[in-house]
Amino acid sequence: MKTANIKISLGYILICLLWGSTWITVKIGLESLTPFLAAGLRFSLASLFIYIIMRIKGITIQTDSLSIKLYIIMGLFAFVVPFGIVYWAQQFIQSGLASILFGAFPFFVLIFTRFAIPSEKIDFLKIIAVVIGFTGIFIIFSNNISVNLNKDFLGMLAIVFSASLQASVAVIIKKYGMHLNSLSMNLVPLMIGGTVLVLVSFFAENLSKVVFDTKAILSVGYLAFFGTVLTFTTYYWLLKRINIVILSLSSFITPIIAIFLGWLILSEKFSTRETIGSSLVLIGVLFANLKGLMSYYFVKNDRKLI
């Protein structure tokens, strides 16, 4: 049990660190590539990596009717549509506002889980954790946003819709996809996502300014392997083992990692507001895990939890 808990903790830390680092890597890559093309190449290369790993490890892909349906759902509603509309929306709204709006993700996970998976425990502490975490995200980005509903409404709606789609897919996989291999389950969805986004880039983007320089190649390579293969495989591995609400709170931690890396690598400022907001996010995560931590403490010390 202790070894399993250590693996789960390390997996959680891994996805937070890697997804936090993708923000700055995407920013660097977009200096040379267009958004849809960059995302499409990222997912296509990631699917190739997964295929190679599966061949080496002798893992076969499940082809029963339920698995195929789940692959299609993931491909369209975890990759193509959410990433597509987020990239589209960020043409109209600021990244800080997008980060706040995407903070709706854990709220949607709470709501969908409550109705779709009643057996998944959603106690008061987890609700408080989501509220505190969202408050922290709002504080972090609140100073850098301005809203003009006449211009921003559709973009804002798109971000919230993206969050709801990704939350619904996570809940669907939690309910129906527990039989899927954590590695192979991403192969077909990533192929769908990569192919569609590359095709969209040819019709919707000006590719004449695309440059396949060192920044572009390293960015796509890093995002494909570390930001996609490792993260999504670990994410779905964790999804089988921990409460889905606790897992969803990782979306609050990744902006903190991104801000820290921006300060470390790009010499961006780390303000008092960001420190306070980051602290609240971490407190929220602590609240979500409080009952489990207390249970572990009392069991370890042979005392009853009252």
Side-chain angles (χ1 to χ4, degrees):
M1 181 64 70
K2 185 177 180 180
T3 302
N5 289 337
I6 291 174
K7 288 182 178 179
I8 289 171
S9 299
L10 290 175
Y12 198 94
I13 292 170
L14 179 69
I15 63 172
C16 291
L17 289 175
L18 290 181
W19 267 329
S21 70
T22 60
W23 293 31
I24 189 172
T25 311
V26 168
K27 185 176 181 179
I28 292 171
L30 290 180
E31 294 176 9
S32 306
L33 301 172
T34 54
F36 289 152
L37 181 63
L41 292 175
R42 167 187 176 178
F43 294 150
S44 298
L45 183 58
S47 67
L48 177 60
F49 284 146
I50 288 179
Y51 176 75
I52 293 171
I53 295 170
M54 287 174 60
R55 289 297 299 271
I56 293 172
K57 297 176 71 68
I59 298 172
T60 57
I61 187 169
Q62 292 102 315
T63 56
D64 57 278
S65 59
L66 175 59
S67 297
I68 292 172
K69 290 176 184 177
L70 291 174
Y71 298 151
I72 295 172
I73 290 171
M74 289 176 64
L76 294 176
F77 303 116
F79 295 110
V80 175
V81 179
F83 278 87
I85 61 178
V86 164
Y87 279 125
W88 174 83
Q90 288 191 314
Q91 298 177 88
F92 308 102
I93 66 174
Q94 298 165 311
S95 59
L97 178 57
S99 298
I100 292 173
L101 292 171
F102 196 81
F105 173 74
F107 288 102
F108 283 119
V109 169
L110 269 173
I111 295 167
F112 296 155
T113 302
R114 176 68 181 82
F115 290 102
I117 317 177
S119 59
E120 191 84 349
K121 294 181 180 179
I122 308 295
D123 54 39
F124 184 69
L125 285 176
K126 290 183 178 63
I127 297 173
I128 292 296
V130 172
V131 173
I132 292 175
F134 180 79
T135 303
I137 291 296
F138 183 83
I139 290 173
I140 290 172
F141 294 105
S142 60
N143 197 47
N144 297 319
I145 64 170
S146 59
V147 179
N148 183 334
L149 286 180
N150 292 328
K151 294 172 56 179
D152 301 339
F153 179 73
L154 288 179
M156 294 168 65
L157 189 64
I159 297 293
V160 175
F161 182 58
S162 174
S164 69
L165 281 180
Q166 298 209 40
S168 65
V169 170
V171 173
I172 287 170
I173 297 300
K174 180 74 172 180
K175 185 172 183 177
Y176 298 108
M178 301 301 281
H179 66 291
L180 293 173
N181 178 279
S182 300
L183 182 67
S184 64
M185 67 189 296
N186 286 295
L187 177 63
V188 175
L190 283 170
M191 289 176 63
I192 294 172
T195 302
V196 172
L197 287 170
V198 168
L199 289 174
V200 169
S201 73
F202 278 97
F203 292 100
E205 295 180 324
N206 180 7
L207 301 182
S208 62
K209 296 182 179 180
V210 169
V211 179
F212 286 98
D213 56 9
T214 303
K215 287 183 179 180
I217 294 171
L218 291 179
S219 172
V220 171
Y222 179 87
L223 290 169
F225 187 76
F226 294 100
T228 305
V229 176
L230 283 184
T231 49
F232 280 103
T233 301
T234 305
Y235 180 86
Y236 288 118
W237 180 85
L238 289 170
L239 193 62
K240 299 180 180 182
R241 291 164 174 81
I242 66 174
N243 184 280
I244 189 172
V245 176
I246 293 176
L247 183 56
S248 73
L249 292 176
S250 62
S251 64
F252 286 157
I253 300 175
T254 50
I256 299 175
I257 303 296
I259 291 170
F260 175 76
L261 290 176
W263 167 78
L264 184 67
I265 298 173
L266 300 179
S267 300
E268 295 177 348
K269 294 181 179 179
F270 196 81
S271 66
T272 303
R273 185 188 66 261
E274 289 165 344
T275 303
I276 295 171
S278 300
S279 300
L280 284 174
V281 169
L282 298 177
I283 291 171
V285 175
L286 177 63
F287 262 83
N289 291 277
L290 190 59
K291 184 175 288 187
L293 291 171
M294 291 178 67
S295 297
Y296 175 77
Y297 172 79
F298 280 96
V299 169
K300 183 178 179 181
N301 290 276
D302 196 27
R303 294 163 62 187
K304 292 183 178 180
L305 179 59
I306 300 175

